[in-house]
Amino acid sequence: MSEIVQASQSRELIQKGKKAKAAASLLAKATTEQKNKALLMMAEQLIKEQAFILAENEKDIRAGKENGMTDALLDRLKLNDQRLRDMSEALIQLTKLKDPTGELLEEWEPPNELNISQIRVPLGVVGMIYEARPNVTVDASSLCLKTGNAVLLRGSSTAINSNIAIVKVIQHALELSKLPIESVQLLEDTSRKTASEMFKLNQYLDVLIPRGGAKLIQTVVQNSTVPVLETGAGNCHVYIDETADPKMAIDIAINAKTQRPSVCNACETILIHRKWASKHLQDLYTALREKEVRIHGDETVQKVGMDVIPATEADWGTEYLDLELALKVVGNNDEAIAHINRYGTKHSEAIISRTVENVEQFFNEIDAAAIYHNASTRFTDGFEFGFGAEIGISTQKLHARGPMGLTALTSTKYIIKGKGQVK
Amino acid sequence: MSEIVQASQSRELIQKGKKAKAAASLLAKATTEQKNKALLMMAEQLIKEQAFILAENEKDIRAGKENGMTDALLDRLKLNDQRLRDMSEALIQLTKLKDPTGELLEEWEPPNELNISQIRVPLGVVGMIYEARPNVTVDASSLCLKTGNAVLLRGSSTAINSNIAIVKVIQHALELSKLPIESVQLLEDTSRKTASEMFKLNQYLDVLIPRGGAKLIQTVVQNSTVPVLETGAGNCHVYIDETADPKMAIDIAINAKTQRPSVCNACETILIHRKWASKHLQDLYTALREKEVRIHGDETVQKVGMDVIPATEADWGTEYLDLELALKVVGNNDEAIAHINRYGTKHSEAIISRTVENVEQFFNEIDAAAIYHNASTRFTDGFEFGFGAEIGISTQKLHARGPMGLTALTSTKYIIKGKGQVK
């Protein structure tokens, strides 16, 4: 029995992989107009099929509650009228963005008199492995379509009903738009085995993009032989230095932690310079507790409130994704920077300061995708950056780093025109 | 005994990995002037220590001959006065190139009034795994140094004496230049185990670059969890279509195959349109045989010369790297394109043609880093492209594709300046 199931699992992956590759060849030839029409059709169908999608999503929400899913995770899973309208609107906005494929990036003639041009092309087939958020299904499908890539989606079992419903609606839109329906496919088998097989699907996948928590991402990075775009795990810090404006520091800390705790650019640890702490730690503590943030603090912090949980080594590396954070007092900037470079995930790091030298040191020595002075880490986002779209936030150093817009889903090729040149 | 040896192997890797990471932090702060001075010192020392380096290289050549190394491989391994002068000159030229690190790529203010800038930064620590060519030791070290990256080199056992000598000279130059000598390190243990351990050295390596044959590269790609820049394996094709100018086609085919057969952009298979073959195959055959090229041909080709070796399926996928090639007659452009996309390594592909439509189809449908019309595949090279330097030729789609200059060894970070903004 188990062997039969396993064989059928592999079959789904191989079959969908093959179909994705075939669809990618066709999609690469689709015009921008054709792709935009399909996006508009997707926008329309998402609204038209709203009742169907929400009913399927409700099944996932009910199962999540039964299984004791946290409020933060339920928030990620939940769809409603407004969120569907937002998704639909995002698809319409996407049609207004420039199609990066086909773009001539450079053209020149070296001394050998060859005419060399570099043009943008789709990557081919994108594999997405992601967790509970069903909006990623629409995001990933539409961004891949816009850039001429086929996509093979592997969402979480906790969102399976939502995802099947959404992909059904998307494929119907593709069919109505006369583009290959296999441009967007979902793996309905959400077992670990399917994910493991996807890690090695080099013959069909050009890139694998994980979106979710640190554990998911590390599993993909540690096991995948398909090139990975590492995204999203965010153990982000706010460092309040000796000279930070107290009100600004507290406002930013509260915003970075509480404005939407379930997302990757939310702050997970606040570091405070000893001298600032001696004057303002009590106020920061009060502000955090007013927002019902659970605090894991070091010894100094524990003295401020009875309800501070003693921080352990594990807390410095924890992405809580909830109203919970770690709070640590440091002796100087070097200590803060060393702490961040040791425990951070190279995502988003902020310094609150009124001293130029401290800020410069922070900018130069912190190794991260996005480094802030006097602003909330919550701004690390393709939309806030003005890209008009976001496929994820890269925390790796190759290909793309930080919020990734449409160009992150493209590659290039060189076209060289000669007149018979030999070397 | 074997356990002791294994333990010491791991120790070398871990120790050098740690030192590389520390060196990278210091190098990232070095000025362009400091780095250029060190490059000039390396250029000087390579010439000064020429006798030492050539004597050590001679040991490798002698061992290679004893072990029956092919002429093509011996050519890759061999150093002489001229090649050392070329390496030294390349280092001097490298100082004249722009240092890409620190470059401000973009700066803008989205509606949230944050000031966002994107700047180029070093990758960190680069791991290089490569085969016999000792010039890669100098290339990789100097390109990494120029871009502020530390490098951990793992060359072939067949070049171990040459590599130890060269790295000794380079480290002496670094010492004289007051830069960390651990900026360039060589693993002296060239066992497979060391390579395997390097594949998983994520804590110290930011990227792994294999340079060598298809087998080496596939081993790295299939086993590495460190992000890989896939380089170089080149099963390159020249396709001669129905309308190709006969003299130009033969000139380019001969050049692409014979000008330097041991390199990755040399041609390995020639595809010929049936109609062109019926008139000119004999001339192409004669020209190839005059250059002593061994020909693996299909049935049509076998009729042209008694010494044509019958081609097997394996020949279409073989990178000979020698005076040897596969020759196949095709019925039409689609067949040629399908053959190349199936057996090629996405490196360099050429069409010789006088028909615009055929060329356009070839440009659009071939999936490769560099696609030529009426020119030899031998031009796929950072120097020919005018980059002034080359770290390798990427055959992957992420990060960099085709000849990689200095910027391929960099990443970016976003620096965001706020005035207290919260979301």
Side-chain angles (χ1 to χ4, degrees):
Chain A
M1 174 60 196
S2 125
E3 270 187 332
I4 294 167
V5 171
Q6 286 194 6
S8 90
Q9 285 169 4
S10 298
R11 210 158 40 230
E12 186 193 12
L13 192 68
I14 298 290
Q15 284 181 349
K16 289 188 174 171
K18 262 188 204 168
K19 285 178 183 171
K21 204 159 177 73
S25 295
L26 295 170
L27 256 190
K29 297 181 195 173
T31 63
T32 301
E33 198 191 347
Q34 281 177 298
K35 294 185 287 185
N36 283 341
K37 275 192 178 168
L39 290 170
L40 291 176
M41 187 60 81
M42 280 163 61
E44 194 182 307
Q45 293 293 318
L46 277 182
I47 299 300
K48 200 173 162 197
E49 300 295 340
Q50 174 174 309
F52 166 59
I53 295 170
L54 293 185
E56 294 299 305
N57 179 246
E58 186 52 35
K59 291 182 192 168
D60 291 331
I61 292 290
R62 230 178 298 136
K65 282 182 181 160
E66 276 165 22
N67 294 319
M69 201 181 256
T70 65
D71 287 352
L73 284 177
L74 283 170
D75 172 53
R76 294 183 147 210
L77 180 55
K78 179 74 184 166
L79 294 177
N80 54 35
D81 293 14
Q82 184 57 47
R83 287 192 175 174
L84 276 180
R85 274 200 304 276
D86 289 349
M87 288 182 200
S88 179
E89 178 57 28
L91 292 175
I92 294 166
Q93 291 305 318
L94 186 54
T95 64
K96 296 173 185 167
L97 294 183
K98 192 172 163 298
D99 179 355
T101 64
E103 187 189 350
L104 175 68
L105 296 173
E106 277 192 275
E107 184 174 0
W108 75 99
E109 279 201 11
N112 53 36
E113 294 186 1
L114 291 169
N115 174 280
I116 306 181
S117 55
Q118 187 184 33
I119 59 167
R120 265 199 205 288
V121 295
L123 286 169
V125 181
V126 175
M128 288 284 304
I129 298 188
Y130 55 106
E131 286 174 342
R133 302 165 71 174
N135 63 315
V136 175
T137 309
V138 176
D139 267 19
S141 304
S142 59
L143 296 174
C144 287
L145 182 66
K146 176 83 186 189
T147 48
N149 294 291
V151 66
L152 191 55
L153 303 160
R154 195 278 193 189
S156 160
S157 58
T158 58
I160 187 67
N161 294 296
S162 313
N163 288 339
I164 289 177
I166 290 171
V167 169
K168 203 169 172 180
V169 170
I170 290 175
Q171 290 188 332
H172 183 55
L174 287 167
E175 198 177 6
L176 292 172
S177 314
K178 301 190 172 54
L179 286 180
I181 62 167
E182 293 88 359
S183 306
V184 176
Q185 294 176 99
L186 176 77
L187 291 170
E188 298 191 6
D189 175 357
T190 55
S191 67
R192 287 198 179 183
K193 188 171 170 293
T194 321
S196 302
E197 287 173 359
M198 248 181 122
F199 299 160
K200 313 282 181 191
L201 203 64
N202 296 56
Q203 72 268 44
Y204 298 124
L205 299 182
D206 291 289
V207 59
L208 200 50
I209 306 179
R211 278 182 75 173
K215 202 176 154 196
L216 168 77
I217 291 163
Q218 279 314 304
T219 303
V220 175
V221 169
Q222 292 296 329
N223 293 288
S224 181
T225 56
V226 176
V228 174
L229 274 187
E230 195 173 338
T231 72
N235 184 21
C236 305
H237 300 73
V238 171
Y239 169 47
I240 301 172
D241 90 348
E242 185 180 353
T243 65
D245 177 86
K247 181 177 180 311
M248 184 190 286
I250 292 171
D251 284 352
I252 288 175
I254 293 293
N255 179 265
K257 178 69 263 182
T258 69
Q259 197 252 344
R260 195 168 182 199
S262 63
V263 292
C264 63
N265 58 17
C267 170
E268 303 295 0
T269 295
I270 299 175
L271 300 173
I272 310 167
H273 191 285
R274 190 169 34 81
K275 291 190 181 163
W276 192 93
S278 67
K279 293 182 213 153
H280 310 293
L281 176 56
Q282 186 69 54
D283 293 341
L284 175 63
Y285 165 82
T286 306
L288 286 167
R289 292 302 298 143
E290 271 173 12
K291 291 283 188 175
E292 297 183 356
V293 176
R294 289 179 296 285
I295 301 170
H296 300 257
D298 66 7
E299 286 188 9
T300 311
V301 180
Q302 288 165 42
K303 289 176 197 150
V304 176
M306 289 292 289
D307 53 5
V308 172
I309 307 152
T312 65
E313 174 72 15
D315 283 303
W316 312 133
T318 298
E319 193 182 6
Y320 300 104
L321 295 171
D322 207 344
L323 286 175
E324 192 166 2
L325 61 57
L327 199 53
K328 183 185 166 77
V329 174
V330 297
N332 54 49
N333 299 331
D334 288 346
E335 196 187 325
I337 289 169
H339 181 99
I340 292 171
N341 282 339
R342 175 164 179 198
Y343 296 102
T345 51
K346 306 193 197 309
H347 190 297
S348 300
E349 308 295 350
I351 181 172
I352 319 303
S353 172
R354 284 183 288 199
T355 307
V356 173
E357 293 73 22
N358 293 356
V359 176
E360 285 299 314
Q361 186 191 1
F362 197 82
F363 282 165
N364 288 332
E365 297 183 13
I366 290 289
D367 186 14
I371 310 175
Y372 291 85
H373 173 225
N374 289 354
S376 169
T377 55
R378 288 280 292 112
F379 287 104
T380 302
D381 176 297
F383 297 94
E384 289 292 343
F385 272 46
F387 298 163
E390 183 191 280
I391 191 68
I393 296 167
S394 164
T395 52
Q396 71 181 21
K397 292 185 177 177
L398 293 188
H399 189 67
R401 198 177 195 197
M404 295 186 288
L406 294 177
T407 57
L409 288 176
T410 65
S411 183
T412 59
K413 61 183 178 187
Y414 288 111
I415 296 293
I416 304 111
K417 296 171 190 163
K419 293 164 289 198
Q421 283 97 329
V422 295
K423 195 168 164 180
Chain B
M1 174 61 197
S2 124
E3 271 188 331
I4 294 168
V5 171
Q6 288 195 4
S8 89
Q9 285 169 4
S10 298
R11 216 165 28 238
E12 186 193 13
L13 192 68
I14 299 289
Q15 284 182 349
K16 289 187 174 171
K18 261 188 203 168
K19 286 179 182 170
K21 204 161 176 70
S25 294
L26 294 171
L27 257 190
K29 297 181 195 173
T31 63
T32 301
E33 198 191 346
Q34 281 176 299
K35 293 185 286 185
N36 283 341
K37 274 191 179 170
L39 290 171
L40 291 176
M41 186 61 82
M42 279 164 61
E44 194 183 308
Q45 294 293 318
L46 275 182
I47 299 300
K48 200 173 162 196
E49 300 295 341
Q50 174 176 308
F52 165 60
I53 294 170
L54 293 185
E56 294 299 306
N57 179 247
E58 186 52 35
K59 290 183 193 169
D60 291 331
I61 292 289
R62 227 177 301 136
K65 282 182 182 159
E66 276 165 23
N67 294 319
M69 200 180 257
T70 64
D71 286 350
L73 285 176
L74 283 170
D75 172 54
R76 295 183 147 210
L77 181 55
K78 179 73 183 167
L79 294 177
N80 55 34
D81 293 14
Q82 185 56 48
R83 286 191 177 176
L84 277 179
R85 274 199 304 277
D86 289 349
M87 287 182 201
S88 178
E89 179 57 29
L91 292 174
I92 294 166
Q93 290 307 318
L94 187 54
T95 64
K96 297 173 185 167
L97 294 184
K98 192 172 164 298
D99 179 355
T101 65
E103 187 189 351
L104 175 67
L105 296 174
E106 278 192 274
E107 184 174 1
W108 75 100
E109 280 201 11
N112 52 36
E113 292 186 2
L114 292 168
N115 174 280
I116 305 182
S117 55
Q118 187 184 32
I119 59 167
R120 263 197 206 289
V121 295
L123 285 170
V125 181
V126 175
M128 287 284 305
I129 297 189
Y130 54 106
E131 287 175 341
R133 302 166 69 175
N135 64 316
V136 176
T137 309
V138 176
D139 268 17
S141 303
S142 58
L143 296 174
C144 286
L145 182 65
K146 177 83 187 190
T147 47
N149 293 291
V151 66
L152 191 55
L153 301 161
R154 195 277 193 189
S156 159
S157 58
T158 58
I160 187 68
N161 294 296
S162 313
N163 287 339
I164 289 177
I166 291 170
V167 169
K168 204 168 172 182
V169 171
I170 289 174
Q171 289 189 332
H172 183 55
L174 287 166
E175 199 176 8
L176 292 172
S177 314
K178 302 190 172 53
L179 285 182
I181 62 166
E182 293 88 359
S183 305
V184 176
Q185 294 177 99
L186 177 76
L187 292 170
E188 298 191 6
D189 175 356
T190 55
S191 67
R192 288 197 178 183
K193 188 169 172 294
T194 322
S196 302
E197 286 172 1
M198 250 181 121
F199 299 160
K200 313 282 181 191
L201 203 65
N202 297 57
Q203 73 267 43
Y204 297 124
L205 300 181
D206 291 290
V207 61
L208 199 51
I209 306 179
R211 277 182 74 173
K215 203 176 154 196
L216 168 78
I217 291 164
Q218 278 314 305
T219 303
V220 175
V221 169
Q222 292 296 330
N223 292 287
S224 181
T225 56
V226 175
V228 175
L229 274 187
E230 195 174 338
T231 72
N235 184 22
C236 305
H237 300 72
V238 172
Y239 169 48
I240 301 172
D241 89 349
E242 185 181 353
T243 64
D245 177 88
K247 182 176 180 313
M248 185 190 285
I250 293 172
D251 284 353
I252 288 174
I254 293 293
N255 180 265
K257 177 69 264 181
T258 70
Q259 198 253 345
R260 196 167 183 200
S262 63
V263 293
C264 64
N265 58 19
C267 170
E268 304 294 1
T269 294
I270 299 175
L271 300 173
I272 310 168
H273 191 284
R274 191 170 34 80
K275 290 191 183 164
W276 193 92
S278 68
K279 292 183 215 156
H280 310 293
L281 176 56
Q282 186 68 54
D283 294 340
L284 175 64
Y285 166 81
T286 306
L288 287 166
R289 292 302 299 142
E290 270 171 15
K291 291 282 188 176
E292 296 182 358
V293 176
R294 288 179 297 285
I295 302 170
H296 300 258
D298 66 7
E299 286 187 11
T300 311
V301 180
Q302 288 165 42
K303 287 176 197 150
V304 177
M306 288 292 289
D307 53 5
V308 172
I309 308 152
T312 64
E313 174 71 16
D315 283 304
W316 311 133
T318 299
E319 192 182 5
Y320 299 103
L321 296 171
D322 207 346
L323 287 175
E324 192 167 1
L325 61 56
L327 199 51
K328 183 184 166 77
V329 174
V330 296
N332 54 48
N333 299 330
D334 288 346
E335 197 187 326
I337 289 168
H339 181 100
I340 292 171
N341 281 340
R342 174 163 178 197
Y343 296 102
T345 52
K346 304 191 197 311
H347 190 297
S348 299
E349 308 295 351
I351 181 172
I352 319 304
S353 172
R354 285 183 288 200
T355 306
V356 173
E357 292 73 23
N358 294 356
V359 176
E360 285 299 315
Q361 187 192 0
F362 197 82
F363 283 165
N364 288 332
E365 296 184 14
I366 290 289
D367 186 15
I371 310 176
Y372 290 85
H373 173 225
N374 288 353
S376 170
T377 54
R378 289 280 292 111
F379 287 105
T380 302
D381 175 298
F383 297 95
E384 289 292 343
F385 271 45
F387 297 163
E390 183 192 280
I391 190 68
I393 296 167
S394 163
T395 52
Q396 71 180 21
K397 292 184 178 178
L398 293 188
H399 189 65
R401 197 178 195 196
M404 294 185 287
L406 295 176
T407 57
L409 288 175
T410 66
S411 183
T412 59
K413 61 184 178 187
Y414 288 110
I415 296 293
I416 303 111
K417 297 171 188 162
K419 293 163 290 197
Q421 283 96 326
V422 295
K423 194 168 166 181

